[in-house]
Amino acid sequence: MPPSDIAPRDRLIVALDLPDVAAAEAMVGRLGDSVTFYKIGYQLAYAGGLPLVRQLADAGKQVFIDLKLHDIGNTVARGTESLARLGATFLTVHAFPQTMKAAVDACAGSGLKILAVTVLTSYDDGDLDAAGYRLGVTDLVEVRARQAQALGIDGLVCSPAETAALRKITGPRMSLVTPGVRPAGTELGDQKRIMTPGRAISGGADYLVVGRPVMEAADPKAAADAIVAEITLALI
Ligand code: C5P
C-alpha cells in the first residue's frame, strides 16, 4: 500500500516504552481498538518483550521493532532473518550502506520492511566532527537518504522538520516516520525539535511515533484518539 493510502488511525505508532511485559500488556489492554500500531524498542525488547511482537501481530496489530541494527553484513542479515519471523511490519537499522543492504536482502519476501535511521537526532555537527565524519548533519542525512533509496530501503526515520527535504529525495514510495511529536499543551520531555501531530502530517510525515504523550496521559486511550483526530483533520 503506498504511504498516501494509509488510514489515519494506522498512522499513529505508539511507543511501548515501558519496563516490562506486564506493564506493556496492561497498556495495550487499556488502549484497545484506539491503537493499531505499536513500537517496541530497547527498553521492552531487552526486558523480555520480543515475544510480544508475535503476540501483538497475532492479535491483528502492526509492530515496529526499533532495535537500530548495525554490525557486519552477515550478522545484520542473520539478525534480520530471526526478527522477520516475529511478524513485525517495520525494523530499524542505521543507514550505513552495508547494513542497509544486508537487512533489505535478508527480509526479502518476509513482509518485514526496513526503516533506516539517517543520523540520530541527538547528534549535531560537533558530534559528527568528534566521531571523525567529514560531513555535517544536513549533508550526511541527504547522502544517506539517497543511499537508502538506491538500496531499496522502505522508509526513513526522521525529525518532523526534515520531512519536506527528504520527500524530495525519496519520492512517494518511501515511508517517512517521525518521532518528536507533541500534541499542543503536552510536556516536551527531552524532545527539543517538536511538532504537533497535525503539522507533522501536513508537512509530509506518513507515520508518527508517539510515546510519553500517550503512556503518561491520565487517559491514554483518549490521548491516542485525540492524536488520531488531529491526523484525520490534517489529511482532509
Ligand atoms: O516519548 P516520546 O514521544 O518522546 O517517544 C518517542 C519515541 O521515539 C521513543 O521510543 C524514542 O526512542 C523514539 N525516537 C526518538 N527520536 C529519534 C528516534 C527515535 O525520540 N530520533
Side-chain angles (χ1 to χ4, degrees):
M1 187 188 292
S4 53
D5 289 347
I6 300 161
R9 191 169 298 283
D10 297 338
R11 292 173 183 270
L12 169 63
I13 303 177
V14 171
L16 282 174
D17 292 332
L18 293 165
D20 55 52
V21 174
E25 285 177 337
M27 181 56 75
V28 169
R30 283 184 82 180
L31 291 169
D33 292 339
S34 292
V35 174
T36 59
F37 212 144
Y38 286 102
K39 181 172 92 76
I40 294 182
Y42 284 9
Q43 185 183 17
L44 186 57
Y46 297 141
L50 274 182
L52 202 54
V53 177
R54 166 58 60 200
Q55 208 175 301
L56 287 168
D58 287 348
K61 305 293 184 189
Q62 295 192 83
V63 186
F64 168 2
I65 304 176
D66 189 15
L67 291 182
K68 298 187 179 70
L69 304 188
H70 184 44
D71 205 310
I72 61 168
N74 181 62
T75 302
V76 170
R78 301 290 88 82
T80 301
E81 282 168 9
S82 296
L83 292 168
R85 288 194 279 273
L86 300 177
T89 299
F90 288 141
L91 168 68
T92 39
V93 304
H94 283 283
F96 287 73
Q98 278 188 19
T99 296
M100 293 192 284
K101 182 168 187 336
V104 165
D105 290 350
C107 75
S110 71
L112 179 67
K113 296 188 173 97
I114 304 298
L115 302 178
V117 179
T118 51
V119 175
L120 291 171
T121 50
S122 57
Y123 288 180
D124 61 18
D125 289 348
D127 295 307
L128 291 182
D129 184 54
Y133 285 87
R134 215 167 16 92
L135 300 178
V137 172
T138 307
D139 291 338
L140 189 56
V141 165
E142 188 174 321
V143 165
R144 289 178 166 175
R146 289 187 197 286
Q147 290 169 336
Q149 155 89 339
L151 286 164
I153 286 283
D154 297 289
L156 300 173
V157 178
C158 60
S159 94
E162 289 168 352
T163 49
L166 285 177
R167 184 59 78 196
K168 288 194 192 126
I169 295 173
T170 65
R173 181 190 66 83
M174 288 172 83
S175 298
L176 299 179
V177 181
T178 65
V181 175
R182 288 288 177 272
T186 52
E187 290 289 320
L188 300 193
D190 53 4
Q191 297 279 16
K192 290 180 190 138
R193 287 173 291 144
I194 51 118
M195 240 182 228
T196 62
R199 285 201 55 211
I201 291 285
S202 328
D206 297 303
Y207 295 92
L208 309 181
V209 176
V210 182
R212 286 162 289 182
V214 172
M215 294 294 106
E216 296 176 1
D219 184 344
K221 191 174 168 67
D225 287 338
I227 295 170
V228 173
E230 210 177 316
I231 293 174
T232 307
L233 271 181
L235 287 168
I236 291 171

